[in-house]
Amino acid sequence: MNRKDGGVLQGRVVAVTGASKGIGLGVVQKLTAEGATVIGGARDVSGVVCEGATFLPLDVTDAASVDAFAEQARRAGVDALVNNAGVGVFKPVQDITEADYRRVMDTNVLGTLLMTRALLPHFQALGRGQVVNVTSDVSARTFATGALYTASKYAQRAVTQALASEGHAYGLRVTEIRPGMVDTFFGDTQQGEEYKAEWLKPDDVAGAVLYALSAPAHVRIDEVLLHPVVQDVAF
Ligand SMILES: NC(=O)c1ccc[n+]([C@@H]2O[C@H](COP(=O)([O-])OP(=O)(O)OC[C@H]3O[C@@H](n4cnc5c(N)ncnc54)[C@H](OP(=O)(O)O)[C@@H]3O)[C@@H](O)[C@H]2O)c1
């Protein structure tokens, strides 16, 4: 996708975590196509290219890595953060290990906290800013084998909502994006497999992120819940 002159995000600078593939890369492509400058991070960014984006190594579970990434984002004039990096482990409760717990909670919850904390003073100084958290449709419901993953997503939802309450005093706008099944590499799967043909595409989720980021300055999009039509939904 080529960058548009006069896109709706012209002049905006957005930091995106988990930007190397899947939903995150779709978000980078969508936002840059609308004129934004993007700073994208993931642990392995080798070979990842998108016009209008700079990709930097980032491990959201590591405070030093987060701070280095945040510093580059601040230097670029960041005004929005998309917390998208995430992992999933799906097992019955009796099989969940401490290592599983730390991997999922550290990436999905601690990562969101560290990354957000690193940029909040900058947004406070600006008197504006946006934080968009990609959680999941299962941030408010659970299922068998979903204990650990959904615990992390419920927690991310709680962080999102508390941050919205804290941030409105200084003009921070906070949005939760809650996708159902998306065709990505999530859970060590491959993108483009036949069984995922009717699932959401990263570009669909990116459209929801764009909706939140392009809302007029007096509008806060609190939450977007989206599913592929083929997904049976238990609200
Ligand atoms: N796919 C779905 O059906 C679905 C549905 C609802 C919500 N989600 C959520 O959407 C988000 C993105 O998932 P996805 O489906 O796009 O998965 P994906 O294709 O596996 O991509 C995950 C991205 O996160 C990065 N990442 C993982 N651990 C990281 C870390 N510690 N620090 C920095 N980056 C890290 C990965 O790069 P590296 O491994 O190189 O770091 C990659 O860029 C996740 O939060 C997930 O929970 C997914």
Side-chain angles (χ1 to χ4, degrees):
M1 214 182 302
N2 290 326
R3 298 190 80 186
K4 272 200 287 201
D5 285 336
V8 294
L9 295 182
Q10 202 78 47
R12 301 288 303 273
V13 181
V14 185
V16 179
T17 73
S20 62
K21 57 186 177 181
I23 293 169
L25 183 57
V27 168
V28 173
Q29 290 166 339
K30 184 71 122 192
L31 303 188
T32 53
E34 286 296 340
T37 296
V38 172
I39 316 297
R43 289 168 302 180
D44 180 5
V45 290
S46 52
V48 189
V49 178
C50 176
E51 189 189 349
T54 302
F55 294 93
L56 302 172
L58 167 68
D59 182 346
V60 295
T61 70
D62 176 344
S65 173
V66 167
D67 287 344
F69 178 82
E71 175 59 19
Q72 293 305 314
R74 277 190 298 270
R75 282 172 195 250
V78 65
D79 58 49
L81 165 66
V82 181
N83 283 309
N84 163 78
V87 294
V89 169
F90 300 91
K91 291 178 175 178
V93 170
Q94 66 192 44
D95 295 336
I96 295 169
T97 65
E98 278 186 52
D100 293 332
Y101 178 89
R102 298 204 191 289
R103 178 161 170 259
V104 172
M105 299 302 269
D106 281 5
T107 308
N108 300 359
V109 188
L110 180 64
T112 297
L113 283 168
L114 290 178
M115 197 62 248
T116 305
R117 190 185 69 177
L119 287 178
L120 280 187
H122 172 75
F123 293 150
Q124 277 165 350
L126 276 182
R128 63 188 164 81
Q130 287 188 262
V131 176
V132 178
N133 290 340
V134 179
T135 65
S136 173
D137 66 334
V138 295
S139 67
R141 68 178 174 85
T142 192
F143 55 92
T145 76
L148 181 53
Y149 181 65
T150 59
S152 78
K153 292 295 170 176
Y154 276 53
Q156 236 186 337
R157 177 172 172 83
V159 169
T160 307
Q161 294 180 348
L163 180 66
S165 297
E166 293 163 9
H168 86 278
Y170 57 90
L172 186 76
R173 293 184 290 161
V174 183
T175 304
E176 182 183 6
I177 306 290
R178 303 179 58 204
M181 300 181 308
V182 191
D183 178 10
T184 69
F185 300 88
F186 190 69
D188 292 326
T189 64
Q190 289 306 307
Q191 197 169 37
E193 291 191 77
E194 185 56 35
Y195 72 94
K196 299 180 178 178
E198 301 296 320
W199 292 15
L200 296 174
K201 304 301 171 216
D203 188 61
D204 300 319
V205 184
V209 175
L210 175 61
Y211 171 59
L213 291 181
S214 61
H218 67 288
V219 177
R220 184 186 67 231
I221 308 297
D222 295 301
E223 181 173 330
V224 180
L225 174 63
L226 67 163
H227 290 99
V229 172
V230 293
Q231 184 175 351
D232 187 15
V233 181
F235 288 102

